[in-house]
Amino acid sequence: MMPPMTTIHCHFCGGVIGDPTKIDYRPPRASAQFAVPGTEACACETPIVYEHPPVIGAPDEDIMP
């Protein structure tokens, strides 16, 4: 069974991000301005998300020798 799809919103415009490979992940910060999430598609050339990028692969693959 596949996990449910997660909707990701651009923190700059509030639009729904259709292609998560184009997201510009920026470090979380208290001074960041967040747009109100909406139902329209994100029209930004590079959507912005203020959080750390998701980890791809198993956690033990992230360990450097």
Side-chain angles (χ1 to χ4, degrees), residues 14-63:
V16 176
I17 299 172
D19 183 359
T21 63
K22 295 184 178 183
I23 295 174
D24 179 12
Y25 288 99
R26 297 184 181 180
R29 58 182 196 198
S31 63
Q33 298 292 315
F34 292 87
V36 176
T39 57
E40 298 292 321
C42 173
C44 299
E45 186 173 326
T46 306
I48 296 172
V49 174
Y50 289 105
E51 64 183 48
H52 297 289
V55 176
I56 308 288
D60 59 341
E61 293 176 6
D62 293 336
I63 299 172

